[in-house]
Amino acid sequence: MLSSDSIDSSEDAFNMERRSPARGQSSINQVVLIVGLQTFDFLAPIIIGYVCYRIYDASGPTFWAVCGKFCVVAAMLSTLIFQLVGCYHRDHLLNGEHMLQTLLKGFSWLVGLGLITAFLSKSLTDVSRIWAVLWLLSWAAASVALRI
């Protein structure tokens, strides 16, 4: 005869099987979200930089001659720095306040390293300061808006 313990354990096993795909689906959704954010963080500085270039002053040298190089370097650095400060950590993405703090920390590191790199390479005079501020503020606003 079947005891109540064996029935309970078989029901638990059945319920675990039903919950497993949901956990797997949740894991897949998290991976898709993180890869999507990383893709955005790589493409956003380039696209936003180009748009800001076209809005501010498209009469100077071509975008890729000066500003585009900064955008590509920033794109590569952003994905690395944002990963290091925890912008893609699941717990940070679920907590809005913590997410904004890590994003601010990432942008602070990015601007600091960017300024040091530009200073050491003697390329600070090549880029318009107005374009740079417009680009950074637009990029930061877009990053915050996407995460919210």
Side-chain angles (χ1 to χ4, degrees):
M1 261 201 184
L2 292 173
S3 69
S4 65
D5 290 336
S6 66
I7 292 173
D8 289 340
S9 66
S10 66
E11 285 179 9
D12 288 342
F14 177 73
N15 288 334
M16 289 295 282
E17 288 177 13
R18 286 185 15 194
R19 280 186 263 156
S20 294
R23 284 186 182 168
Q25 186 68 25
S26 175
S27 175
I28 291 171
N29 290 341
Q30 290 172 6
V31 170
V32 169
L33 173 67
I34 291 169
V35 169
L37 284 174
Q38 289 172 333
T39 303
F40 172 83
D41 289 337
F42 182 79
L43 294 176
I46 299 168
I47 294 169
I48 292 171
Y50 182 75
V51 169
C52 291
Y53 175 81
R54 299 297 295 173
I55 290 171
Y56 174 65
D57 183 19
S59 62
T62 65
F63 172 74
W64 292 109
V66 179
C67 300
K69 294 173 187 175
F70 281 90
C71 293
V72 170
V73 170
M76 291 186 292
L77 279 177
S78 70
T79 53
L80 175 65
I81 290 171
F82 290 173
Q83 178 70 37
L84 291 174
V85 299
C87 287
Y88 306 125
H89 193 269
R90 186 180 78 83
D91 294 337
H92 296 179
L93 293 172
L94 296 177
N95 183 339
E97 182 181 332
H98 205 56
M99 180 258 320
L100 290 176
Q101 288 174 347
T102 55
L103 193 60
L104 177 63
K105 187 187 307 182
F107 269 104
S108 297
W109 273 103
L110 187 64
V111 169
L113 286 174
L115 286 173
I116 290 169
T117 303
F119 173 77
L120 292 176
S121 66
K122 295 182 179 182
S123 58
L124 283 174
T125 58
D126 296 341
V127 177
S128 164
R129 291 174 297 211
I130 294 173
W131 172 84
V133 170
L134 180 65
W135 170 58
L136 285 171
L137 292 178
S138 300
W139 178 19
S143 294
V144 168
L146 177 76
R147 283 165 169 83
I148 288 176

